[in-house]
């Protein structure tokens, strides 16, 4: 869905998000995470091999991601002149582990045993139980227990990393408030998401966007950016703008994700283009289609567990024909554009602003 | 199982534990919890009625308990001369919410929809979903989602309450370490408990005790006592002794709980005396029986889902006859006695020591 650049004269470097992230994430974050898991594993040996395996699974669950949240913390911190790597790393780690905790508990809620084709914690412990001769049902309980506990451990360390920070009281309380809001709003978004997934009618576009914003944009974009800025001592107005930007760009990312989940190239995204349709996932795409006369043609394909590739292609054709694809792309683009517009050059430092504009470009102009 | 007093000349006031708790728990803790939930509910209204209902359910889940952990925080704090109610209340609340979080996630792991005969969070949301016309399976997913999220919210506030505390850096770090250990060890204990529940052979008594200690005694007794003492500025040796006492008395409590779960008076305990047998719960009682020649007579009753009252009574007779009941009572008594012996009068202040001796008495001489 390439469109014109969000900022006139801006040279779009499509697909550079991963580069941006890898460039920005300092090694300090990886070192901090590695050290945390090594210490935990050592402590866990006092409690038996299964608990060590739980920590191994948790470390695996926290690895392999794009480290988007640490990158945003570091970008905002550096952007406002922060230079203390040892101070910012735990903050970055906090938001990464929060993300890990949410993914793990999300999988328990969705009863998933794999993530991106690889066994997740519940899946690994399920297999482990079966290998130890457990019955299927017992193995399921054990897998769920392991995943719930692993999520609790990751969530706890997310809080602890901030709580231990050697900063003045005011900064600590502000960081804690950001984390608190992230948890509070994400839980609301997750509950709404689960509620929506069993809705009998298509949602409105506004409902879809509110859920994306609450479930993901706040904890993944708003809070990490604001935390980095708070730690660097940015002004209240700068922090407010970053929050606004974060919510908008976060929604743009999620809208694009949902588009790639139906119209993407599975080879590039590593993501099925039938799974969301089969699941009947409530996206902006579907919400828009629900308000058109084509709905009766599209509805039968949604939530059809045995949806074939041919049927999925027909659903895609209808989604294109009724304007839903273009509408969802337009929504993503609008959110990205509005995000960039919040970045008042008088308030957001130049280099940070450039990075954030690039991020907003990438949110909508990417193939994975 | 009444025996002689643990301390010569000590007048046992059986069943006074509830009195002890209610006497000790200051209203400040209740006020703090009420305020926390009122604020959260108000914030939740921005995210729809279901999220408000989630907070209502969480508040309900946190109420009605004996407030054992807050009582221990307050007793240790006051015992070492602490007088700042506003400072200690959030610490007490932290351990109470940690407990709430663990109970909620424990129920998810055990797939329970009720606790003490009342619908728990998953049960309430399950009913709510059915009332909204959801299918059985969807209602189950929604209930699980609500309970996982509620546990995450309670766990988050447990961390936040300590992190916000206006104390010096050293005290804060020590309190955070206590909470960290509580979470770390409880997760190990919970994993072991779930693992044990599917063991094909009876456990050893040592395995049962290690699990009780890790799953419950550390976070419920050791950590709250130590936290109160740390906050009051007690000596390192006093804190060490309280931790030791807490683990021992916590195990005594759990051993007694398991005895009451088979031999108690349901009218007084409010607890079934067949449920643990039906479930095949791995207790010290069962572990001891597993090492006797009566095991083959007892084993068929354990884990028998349709166990009748008559069969349960026969199981009880065998457990008495093989000496398992006496052995488990002896173990509880020994733990309680050893707990009292740790309370060096030169180090533990007199009033606190008296309360803790009473608590140790109550741990083994109670009928509920």
């Amino acid at each position: 869905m390439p469109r014109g650049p969000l900022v006139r004269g801006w040279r779009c470097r499509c697909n550079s998000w991963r580069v941006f992230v890898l460039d920005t994430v300092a090694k300090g974050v990886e070192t901090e995470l590695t050290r945390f898991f090594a210490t935990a594993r050592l402590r866990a040996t006092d409690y038996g091999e299964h608990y060590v395996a739980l920590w191994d699974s948790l470390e695996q669950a926290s690895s392999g991601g794009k480290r988007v949240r640490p990158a945003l913390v570091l970008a905002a911190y550096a952007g406002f002149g922060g230079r203390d790597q040892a101070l910012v790393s735990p903050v970055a780690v906090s938001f990464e582990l929060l993300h890990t905790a949410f993914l793990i508990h999300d999988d328990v809620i969705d009863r998933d045993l794999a993530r991106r084709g690889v066994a997740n914690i519940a899946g690994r412990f399920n297999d482990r139980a079966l290998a130890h001769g457990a019955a299927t049902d017992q193995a399921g309980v054990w897998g769920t227990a392991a995943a719930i506990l692993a999520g609790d451990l990751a969530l706890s360390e997310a809080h602890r990393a901030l709580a231990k920070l050697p900063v003045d009281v005011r900064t600590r309380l502000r960081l804690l408030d950001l984390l608190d809001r992230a948890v509070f709003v994400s839980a609301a978004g997750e509950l709404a998401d689960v509620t929506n997934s069993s809705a009998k009618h298509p949602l409105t576009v506004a409902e879809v966007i509110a859920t994306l914003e609450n479930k993901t944009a706040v904890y993944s974009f708003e809070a990490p950016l604001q935390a980095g800025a708070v730690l660097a001592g940015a002004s209240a107005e700068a922090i407010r703008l970053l929050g606004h930007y974060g919510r908008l760009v976060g929604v743009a990312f999620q809208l694009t994700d949902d588009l790639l989940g139906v119209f993407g190239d599975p080879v590039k995204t590593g993501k099925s283009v039938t799974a969301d349709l089969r699941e009947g996932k409530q996206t902006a795409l579907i919400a828009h289609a629900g308000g058109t006369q084509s709905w009766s043609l599209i509805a039968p394909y949604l939530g059809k567990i045995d949806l074939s590739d041919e049927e999925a292609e027909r659903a895609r054709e209808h989604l294109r024909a009724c304007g839903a694809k273009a509408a969802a792309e337009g929504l993503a683009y609008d959110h990205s554009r509005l995000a960039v517009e919040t970045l008042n050059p008088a308030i957001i430092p130049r280099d940070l602003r450039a990075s954030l504009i690039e991020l907003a470009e990438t949110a909508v102009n990417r193939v994975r």
Side-chain angles (χ1 to χ4, degrees), chain A:
Chain A
M1 71 188 117
R3 300 194 173 214
L6 295 166
V7 175
R8 194 181 298 272
W10 184 265
R11 188 176 57 84
C12 171
R13 292 197 278 139
C14 295
N15 299 319
S16 58
W17 171 230
R18 187 175 288 269
V19 177
F20 167 81
V21 172
L22 292 179
D23 280 355
T24 312
V25 173
K27 290 205 180 61
V29 173
E30 300 303 325
T31 306
E32 188 94 6
L33 277 167
T34 303
R35 192 187 302 144
F36 165 64
F37 284 113
T39 308
R41 195 185 299 104
L42 199 63
R43 284 170 82 188
T45 53
D46 286 347
Y47 301 91
E49 52 160 345
H50 298 313
Y51 199 45
V52 175
L54 183 69
W55 278 98
D56 285 341
S57 292
L58 179 53
E59 181 166 22
Q60 198 212 28
S62 93
S63 69
K66 299 197 212 76
R67 305 289 194 224
V68 174
R69 293 145 200 91
L72 294 175
V73 172
L74 298 179
Y77 180 67
F80 285 100
R83 292 290 173 267
D84 187 343
Q85 175 73 54
L87 189 67
V88 71
S89 287
V91 179
V93 162
S94 170
F95 285 98
E96 187 64 13
L97 289 176
L98 183 69
H99 175 55
T100 302
F102 286 160
L103 291 187
I104 293 171
H105 282 177
D106 203 25
D107 280 354
V108 176
I109 290 169
D110 295 340
R111 300 181 184 170
D112 288 331
L113 297 181
R115 181 167 279 272
R116 293 191 172 269
V118 178
N120 62 14
I121 296 182
R124 284 166 67 124
F125 270 74
N126 194 73
D127 295 347
R128 192 177 167 89
L130 294 174
H132 277 73
T136 312
D137 192 56
Q138 287 172 336
V141 170
W142 211 50
T144 302
I148 290 180
L149 294 170
D152 288 349
L153 292 165
L155 179 59
S156 290
E157 185 62 22
H159 286 280
R160 180 172 161 81
L162 284 197
K164 284 173 63 187
L165 220 59
V167 290
D168 61 275
V169 174
R170 189 157 166 271
T171 304
R172 189 172 82 251
L173 292 180
R174 290 173 75 190
L175 291 171
L176 292 173
D177 282 350
L178 291 175
L179 182 62
D180 180 57
R181 171 170 154 81
V183 170
F184 189 92
V185 175
S186 304
E190 174 73 11
L191 186 68
D193 197 36
V194 178
T195 309
N196 292 346
S197 70
S198 63
K200 292 184 183 65
H201 303 288
L203 303 175
T204 65
V205 170
E207 285 169 333
V208 169
I209 288 180
T211 303
L212 296 181
E213 182 175 319
N214 294 337
K215 183 182 171 183
T216 308
V218 169
Y219 95 82
S220 299
F221 293 86
E222 175 194 295
L225 283 169
Q226 291 190 320
V230 162
L231 196 64
S235 71
E237 179 60 6
I239 291 163
R240 193 185 67 77
L241 292 183
L242 282 185
H244 194 189
Y245 165 89
R247 285 193 299 284
L248 288 164
V249 88
V251 169
F253 258 94
Q254 295 300 306
L255 288 168
T256 304
D257 260 358
D258 286 342
L259 276 161
L260 292 173
V262 175
F263 293 102
D265 178 347
V267 177
K268 290 178 181 157
T269 61
K271 208 175 151 176
S272 158
V273 280
T274 48
D276 284 1
L277 293 171
R278 271 190 198 134
E279 187 195 306
K281 188 173 177 187
Q282 298 267 15
T283 62
L285 201 61
I286 303 305
H288 183 90
T292 69
Q293 293 194 327
S294 301
W295 180 241
S296 61
L297 299 171
I298 294 166
Y301 297 116
L302 303 176
K304 188 169 187 289
I305 298 169
D306 59 350
L307 190 78
S308 69
D309 288 349
E310 291 70 32
E311 289 172 317
E313 188 50 38
R314 252 170 287 151
R316 268 178 227 116
E317 281 161 18
H318 289 306
L319 287 167
R320 272 194 206 93
C322 76
K325 179 169 184 278
E329 287 172 354
L331 261 179
Y333 184 84
D334 288 346
H335 276 80
S336 202
R337 185 177 47 75
L338 287 170
V340 169
E341 285 175 16
T342 65
L343 299 172
N344 182 342
I347 291 170
I348 309 296
R350 202 184 58 153
D351 285 355
L352 175 60
R353 188 167 174 273
S355 295
L356 295 179
I357 291 172
E358 184 172 336
L359 176 61
E361 289 281 354
T362 314
V364 288
N365 290 304
R366 66 197 166 109
V367 293
R368 64 180 180 186

